[in-house]
Amino acid sequence: HPPPVATDKEEQKRLLENRPDQPRNAKVLRIAIIGAPNAGKSTLSNQLLGRKVFPVSRKVHTTRCKARGVITHEDTQLIILDTPGLTNPLKAKRHNLDEAMLTDPWDSMKHADLVLVLVDVSDHWTRNSLSKEVLKCLSQFPHIPSVLVLNKVDMLKKKFLLLEIATDLTEGIVNGKKLEVKSALKEDSNSSAKSPLHITGASPPESKVPGSPLGQEKNQAQEGSGLDKSSDVGGAGTGEAQGPKHHGPEDDKDIKGWPHFQEIFMLAALRGEEVDTLKRYLLMQAKPGPWEFHSDVLTSQSPQEICDNIIREKILEYLPLEVPYGVTQVMEMWEEGECGELLIMQSLLVPRESHKRMLIGRGGKVISRIAREASQDLMNTFLCDVRLKLRVEVK
């Protein structure tokens, strides 16, 4: 089980400053997870970590800063760089985002050994092309290996669309091999049964390849990746594709995908489906190197930052439109009670009386729900009882 996060700020600081307990053959992998806002980056990070340390909401820009998650498994340490969604200055201004949200994803890329590009396949407006910001990011760092992760596949009723999406997002090339469809998929278009294109379906335990690339030879793909025998989808190796080149901005106009992905994974992060397959793959990609954190560390954030983020997640979830982006949080109390429970009081400052009424809700229903759900999440993160009180005031 992953360790809980310390509730005491000083204790967490000590843990972060502790010298890592290096095993003999230490391995490490730094992973940047990038994608459009709301693709599910924080949900995937939390599932990989096994505890909720990053805020999650259906609204965009829930993640406001780069934070690190740490997975320590035997002699291997995975460091997840959970980044804000890649956005542009115009949208940043609209959502009252600070400058860091534009620069943090780029900073994370500079420190990454591997990039996971997350795409929400349930969004039919955006799923067939990578965003300009994501393509720009990949072309700026073509030397960093990248993996395509198609998320929310459980919400896609027409599973045959996954191949079309995968082809568009990879420009038809994965791991240097061309993708080819050799026959039409024999599947009812409305079927929501498990997809014959379940590329990263669980491999046999003895298999060396936990997540098989889409572009592998047909028989290998069918054995190791849960490809349905009725579908004849496989890669015909038509010579090696050229290595990643540094693209200039003028090259990006007509490009929808990135032809240099090493693997494709398909999963449903919210349900945790296939997340273990991806985790096994990431552990196998780690290279010899010293650990950055002690094995008791789960995140680089302070306990108060986690608390702020989780409360803000609930505010984003239950307030309409742009209203939640104007709420300021002020921590009034953070102390341990007599029975070891954590006592937290936070003031929520809003710019208008009407916003105050919305946040409190009829009969105090909204604010009670926010406090109740945030307390539950914090208990799971800190593994102790949490009593949270929220107070709403006009600035």
Side-chain angles (χ1 to χ4, degrees):
H1 291 286
V5 178
T7 56
D8 180 61
K9 194 176 182 177
E10 291 308 310
E11 191 186 334
Q12 173 71 346
K13 198 175 167 193
R14 265 198 310 278
L15 266 177
L16 289 168
E17 288 169 355
N18 256 359
R19 282 179 62 180
D21 41 344
Q22 302 286 357
R24 186 171 290 172
N25 301 310
K27 288 184 283 202
V28 71
L29 186 74
R30 289 168 206 82
I31 305 147
I33 303 181
I34 66 168
N38 216 21
K41 296 179 292 297
S42 297
T43 303
L44 177 59
S45 299
N46 288 334
Q47 288 282 10
L48 288 166
L49 288 161
R51 238 179 251 303
K52 185 169 185 175
V53 297
F54 299 120
V56 175
S57 157
R58 282 172 295 193
K59 283 209 173 71
V60 295
H61 307 309
T62 311
T63 302
R64 291 289 180 116
C65 60
K66 63 176 178 211
R68 297 182 174 207
V70 184
I71 298 165
T72 304
H73 179 78
E74 294 172 358
D75 59 359
T76 305
Q77 195 162 79
L78 304 179
I79 297 159
I80 296 173
L81 314 164
D82 186 46
T83 57
L86 285 158
T87 189
N88 59 42
L90 191 71
K91 288 177 187 167
K93 195 174 178 186
R94 189 193 312 157
H95 288 102
N96 195 19
L97 310 176
D98 55 34
E99 188 67 25
M101 288 199 57
L102 294 168
T103 57
D104 281 354
W106 297 88
D107 289 345
S108 293
M109 287 289 286
K110 287 175 196 161
H111 300 111
D113 304 313
L114 181 77
V115 187
L116 296 186
V117 177
L118 206 60
V119 175
D120 173 1
V121 296
S122 71
D123 186 339
H124 69 278
W125 296 107
T126 59
R127 66 189 176 204
N128 287 86
S129 61
L130 296 173
S131 74
K132 282 192 173 67
E133 285 81 23
V134 167
L135 280 169
K136 193 175 165 192
C137 220
L138 289 169
S139 55
Q140 286 280 96
F141 301 93
H143 56 285
I144 302 174
S146 55
V147 168
L148 177 63
V149 179
L150 303 182
N151 190 23
K152 309 186 191 180
V153 295
D154 55 321
M155 293 168 76
L156 198 64
K157 285 195 169 67
K158 298 176 178 176
K159 300 293 192 227
F160 68 88
L161 289 171
L162 286 169
L163 183 65
E164 183 190 304
I165 293 166
T167 307
D168 285 345
L169 296 177
T170 59
E171 298 278 308
I173 295 169
V174 177
N175 202 21
K177 290 179 185 165
K178 196 170 181 184
L179 298 183
E180 243 179 55
V181 185
K182 292 181 181 169
S183 71
L185 291 168
K186 303 180 182 82
E187 190 195 15
D188 172 21
S189 63
N190 294 317
S191 163
S192 59
K194 212 158 195 193
S195 157
L197 298 170
H198 211 240
I199 289 139
T200 61
S203 314
E206 67 276 9
S207 166
K208 289 278 186 193
V209 186
S212 159
L214 190 63
Q216 277 193 336
E217 302 300 359
K218 184 179 68 183
N219 58 355
Q220 196 179 340
Q222 285 181 341
E223 282 165 20
S225 353
L227 271 168
D228 195 58
K229 294 283 186 281
S230 65
S231 68
D232 200 0
V233 179
T238 52
E240 289 299 304
Q242 288 181 345
K245 283 193 301 218
H246 194 91
H247 295 281
E250 68 282 352
D251 300 332
D252 291 341
K253 280 175 190 160
D254 304 317
I255 294 175
K256 290 203 298 185
W258 179 247
H260 308 298
F261 286 119
Q262 296 198 341
E263 302 264 354
I264 300 179
F265 287 87
M266 299 187 178
L267 48 81
L270 192 60
R271 291 183 179 193
E273 285 177 17
E274 295 300 330
V275 172
D276 274 349
T277 308
L278 175 61
K279 191 171 175 177
R280 285 201 303 274
Y281 171 78
L282 295 172
L283 288 164
M284 285 173 63
Q285 299 307 303
K287 300 281 185 286
W291 284 3
E292 276 185 44
F293 297 95
H294 191 276
S295 58
D296 286 340
V297 171
L298 191 68
T299 177
S300 61
Q301 301 166 94
S302 74
Q304 282 88 343
E305 281 175 315
I306 293 173
C307 178
D308 281 351
N309 284 334
I310 283 176
I311 293 169
R312 198 168 54 79
E313 165 199 307
K314 308 300 174 193
I315 296 168
L316 281 165
E317 204 60 31
Y318 296 121
L319 287 190
L321 304 170
E322 308 291 310
V323 175
Y325 299 98
V327 177
T328 305
Q329 295 165 258
V330 179
M331 191 70 74
E332 306 285 2
M333 181 172 79
W334 183 285
E335 58 187 54
E336 195 176 311
E338 287 176 17
C339 305
E341 73 275 34
L342 183 58
L343 307 172
I344 303 169
M345 190 162 90
Q346 192 168 94
S347 291
L348 305 175
L349 310 180
V350 292
R352 296 192 186 98
E353 193 64 42
S354 59
H355 291 185
K356 180 181 175 177
R357 285 197 300 273
M358 272 187 230
L359 186 46
I360 292 172
R362 188 174 291 171
K365 273 188 180 169
V366 175
I367 197 70
S368 310
R369 188 174 185 181
I370 288 170
R372 189 173 62 250
E373 291 185 11
S375 299
Q376 193 58 54
D377 281 350
L378 293 168
M379 282 187 216
N380 295 337
T381 302
F382 299 130
L383 288 191
C384 71
D385 282 334
V386 175
R387 294 204 187 147
L388 171 66
K389 280 189 179 174
L390 297 175
R391 196 168 62 192
V392 187
E393 294 172 17
V394 178
K395 280 176 198 170

